[in-house]
Amino acid sequence: MIQEQTHDAELLTRAFELARKSYDEGGCPIGSVLARGPEILGEGHNQRVQNGDPIAHGEMDALRNAGRQASYADTTLYTSLSPCMMCAGTIVQFKIPRVVIGENVNFGGNEDFLRTHGVEVEIANDARCVELMGRFIADRPALWNEDIAE
Ligand SMILES: [Zn+2]
């Protein structure tokens, strides 16, 4: 756990970079990384626009790209934005024990659901993540509302 935490800043930065890549592509700027200690198992970003895939949130894309895992017991999921209920449910379903969240200013509300199911939740309040997501919501409110089904 201590070893994992030393990699948090670096891996969260990678999730942010993936969010920015998606933003630059015209997509929803949410990036995610699944890691085992310092090792990235899979990474991805929201693919709603790029692939026309409403289920491929950043977290789901990272999990898909990581492929099959015999166990998630020693993994941490990094995500630039607080997970929606679909992604939070998947985290619980796969028994991912730890989630590092870039920010929950622009979206949140499922942190207690995760904690109730035994997931350790770290909220970084990363200014880069807050700024990028806030800019996206202001620029493209219809696209954002589509992503969260509002
Ligand atoms: Zn989601």
Side-chain angles (χ1 to χ4, degrees):
M1 190 65 71
I2 290 166
Q3 188 188 9
E4 280 182 1
Q5 289 175 348
T6 63
H7 303 289
D8 282 354
E10 173 191 340
L11 293 168
L12 186 60
T13 291
R14 183 60 191 150
F16 168 73
E17 287 171 354
L18 290 155
R20 192 169 51 194
K21 173 178 179 285
S22 186
Y23 181 85
D24 290 344
E25 292 172 357
C28 299
I30 303 149
S32 182
V33 171
L34 181 71
R36 178 171 288 128
E39 180 197 358
I40 293 177
L41 303 175
E43 59 180 32
H45 59 70
N46 188 294
Q47 300 280 1
R48 168 174 293 273
V49 171
Q50 291 91 331
N51 288 347
D53 185 345
I55 295 170
H57 284 187
E59 302 93 317
M60 306 297 267
D61 195 41
L63 289 166
R64 177 179 282 143
N65 289 334
R68 289 171 57 185
Q69 301 293 321
S71 169
Y72 292 88
D74 52 356
T75 64
T76 297
L77 185 71
Y78 298 83
T79 178
S80 62
L81 182 68
S82 190
C84 75
M85 185 47 88
M86 173 177 70
C87 295
T90 301
I91 289 161
V92 170
Q93 173 69 28
F94 288 2
K95 297 187 170 65
I96 295 170
R98 186 164 180 267
V99 178
V100 175
I101 294 172
E103 63 112 340
N104 64 353
V105 175
N106 289 297
F107 179 82
N110 296 310
E111 297 86 357
D112 284 347
F113 169 83
L114 289 167
R115 290 186 181 110
T116 297
H117 287 83
V119 179
E120 182 187 342
V121 177
E122 310 267 358
I123 298 165
N125 275 317
D126 185 292
R128 300 166 302 177
C129 294
V130 174
E131 188 280 327
L132 179 63
M133 197 64 209
R135 183 161 25 119
F136 168 72
I137 291 169
D139 287 353
R140 309 199 60 186
L143 180 55
W144 170 236
N145 288 335
E146 183 184 319
D147 207 58
I148 57 171
E150 289 292 332

